[in-house]
Each structure stands twice: as C-alpha cells, then as structure tokens.
Amino acid sequence: MSSGASRDHFWAVVPAGGSGTRLWPLSRRDTPKFLQDLTGSGRSLLQGTVDRLRPLCGERVLVVTGARHAAAVREQLPDLPAANLLVEPEPRDSMPAVGWAAAVLERRDPEAVIGSFAADHVIGDAEAFRARVEEAVHAAADGSLVTLGIRPGYPATGYGYISPGAPAAVPGAPDTRRVARFVEKPDLARAREHVAAGDLWNAGMFVVAAARLLDLLGRWHPELAAALRRVAADPAALESEWAGLEPVAIDHAVAEPAAAAGEVAVVPGDFPWDDVGDFASLADRLAESGEHPGMRVLGPADLVVSQDSTGVIAARGGRTVVTLGIPDVVVIDTADAVLVTTRERVQDVKQVVETLRRLGKEELT
C-alpha cells in the first residue's frame, strides 16, 4: 500500500473453519488443521496466518470461526479483541462467513478494504506474499473484486484454475490482469493444458472493498446480502437470521458471475503456497529426516524407527513407530487411532471418516 490512508483501511479477514476429514486422525471436528502446527514451526496454521498478515494490517484482523472452535481460537490468539472474533452458530460455507465480516466492517469503517485469507494455508516467502496483497489493494481501488492466483508448479487436479485476460491498467498494479474465467478442478489432461496456457491456481484469496463485496453479492443473492447487513446492524438477530442463510461458496456466489461481467481482476503470485489438503501435501512441507533418508517426520523424531522405507510418519501417540521396507508409506499414530496408508491413497482418507461415522464411531472423528 502506497499511502498511510490505504494501510489504515485494510482489514484481514481470516475464515477459520473445517471438519477435519482430509488429515484424519491428526485433525478432527474439534481440532481441525488450522488449530495445529503441521510444519514444525511451533505455531499453528491459524497463528502463522495472522503472523503473516500483521505487518500489513496491524490489529485490523477479523477472524470468523464456528462455535465449536471459538474457545480454541481465543486461546491461540489471546491478543485478538473480542469484537474481532465473529462466531458462526453453524457452518454456512465461505460466502456467509466472509460476507458477515464485510458487513461488520462496512459499518465499522465505511472505507474498509478486506482481504480474505484462509486460516489453514501454508505460504512461503511472506514478504513476496505481502507485496502481492499490496498490489491487490491498489487493484481493488476501481471497485474490482481482486483475487490472488498462484503460478502453478505442476498440473494439479486438486485445485481450480483462473484464466487471466487483458491487463487491468490500474495505477499501482502493473501485474494485475482481468479474469477471463474461473475453472473448476480439471482432470490431468486439462490441468496440463491450463498450465501450458499460463493459467493460475485458484487459492481462494480475495481483496475487495467491504461495501463493494456486499453490493456484488446483492446483485446475484439479494436476500443473503440483506440478511448479512441486518445481522451486522443488530447482532441480537444472529441466531434467527443465520439459520435461514443460503450456504454458498464465495466463488459461486460472487467471483464467477462477477468475472463473467468483467469485474474481477487477478494478481499473480510467485510465492510458495499450499492448502495442505492431504498427507502427500503435508509431506512436501516437511524436511527429510536426517536419521531416516526418504522419510518425513512430524512430531518427536526419537519415536520413529525407519528402515528401508520412505514416506511420512506422524508419531503423536507417545509410542515408537517402526517401518520396515515400505515405500511411500503414510503412518499417522495418535492416542486413539492409527492410520496406515500410502501416498497414492491419501485423497481417500475423508472416505474413512465417513465410514467411521456410518459405523457409529463418531467419537473418533
């Protein structure tokens, strides 16, 4: 941000939710991944997200979380003012969460520009990230909804893509392009085409004036926008209004139709980014063990004995975990459950959680 005025009105909004299915049994409904240290940094993903944003916005951080996780968020962020923690009565997807924050900030600061950044992503090179956010704030000055797109490192099928169009021609935002379209998660062949075409990964990061976001939402979902503004005006109406809110993702509610109308811009990001969506992704974030070549270890290394094996081990159960002659193994040991799978099958872990629930083992999920 080039001026003190811009910095004074920039707010970071951090949606902190999740059901804890893709990294089970490390993450559960009560302890989803954003509350955990999954990189060995000594800070949870939520704390790391706020740490990364503080140099941009200072104390202007608003966290939106569910009632199940509110106490843990307060414990992990003791300096967060009570008024800056919004607690959803129940999950309603990303648009109601971010939209509620926008409605609150619209009343608190009519010139507020918000940046929405998920609490459970891992970003390398924090300075490069902040530089891209600053450009996005400049790009939002013309009323655009601005997203940060990640230059892909490989043809991923687990992410959506953003197709950049013509330059946005906004002062202070030289690398910003108009968004031609958003693309849903593709198969491998199409992912390769997107990478070859210079398309970007959709990381779900948005920067926009708070009032502008609500006005855009009101164009395609007028009842939702009106309800969120009513809740912001009268917090006592939260319970009654929230139950009737339409559950919808911000991409579907606003980003995709606004892109079709030419009102979305994208700032490309070259910084390392990962949503830590499975154990293969988690393994990539961990350094290879010096004692066990080819093995990544999360947790106490002295509890791991690995011979002729590669993969990732999380020894969180307080006991020794031994692998022998197993390539690409994933072993997650906790106090009450053990997961053993392969790197190839990690995307299926959430199906195991569904099976446990069907078997009546809810206490494990």
Side-chain angles (χ1 to χ4, degrees), residues 214-275:
L214 291 164
D215 289 345
L216 287 171
L217 179 62
R219 190 184 306 176
W220 293 288
H221 298 266
E223 294 182 3
L224 177 55
L228 292 172
R229 278 175 160 145
R230 287 196 297 269
V231 170
D234 179 13
L238 174 62
E239 294 285 345
S240 59
E241 292 280 5
W242 201 263
L245 294 187
E246 175 187 5
V248 61
I250 189 171
D251 296 75
H252 300 318
V254 171
E256 292 171 2
E263 299 178 65
V264 181
V266 60
V267 175
D270 294 306
F271 48 84
W273 167 85
D274 199 326
D275 71 348

Side-chain angles (χ1 to χ4, degrees), residues 164-186:
V170 178
D175 298 324
T176 303
R177 308 275 293 276
R178 290 294 163 197
V179 170
R181 61 174 179 147
F182 287 88
V183 181
E184 296 291 339
K185 297 175 183 178

Side-chain angles (χ1 to χ4, degrees), residues 13 62 86 97-107 112 114 209-211 213-214 232:
V13 172
L62 206 68
L86 303 183
V98 177
W100 182 21
V104 168
L105 292 176
E106 178 188 40
R107 297 183 65 83
I114 67 170
L213 178 61
L214 291 164

Side-chain angles (χ1 to χ4, degrees), residues 9 11 102-113 209-212:
H9 295 287
W11 288 77
V104 168
L105 292 176
E106 178 188 40
R107 297 183 65 83
R108 194 180 299 182
D109 177 4
E111 298 181 59
V113 174
R212 176 62 171 161

Side-chain angles (χ1 to χ4, degrees), residues 287-307:
E288 188 172 310
S289 171
E291 298 179 9
H292 309 294
M295 187 63 72
R296 268 80 173 175
V297 176
L298 181 64
D302 60 350
L303 293 180
V304 174
V305 176
S306 177
Q307 291 185 227

Side-chain angles (χ1 to χ4, degrees), residues 27 86 99 109 120 125 179 355:
S27 66
L86 303 183
D109 177 4
D120 57 1
D125 196 345
V179 170
T355 299

Side-chain angles (χ1 to χ4, degrees), residues 1 6 25 52 67 84 99 104 119 137 193 267 279 296 309 315 317 331 352:
M1 281 152 271
S6 297
R52 191 163 53 244
N84 288 10
V104 168
V137 172
E193 292 174 0
V267 175
F279 286 113
R296 268 80 173 175
S309 302
V331 181
V352 174

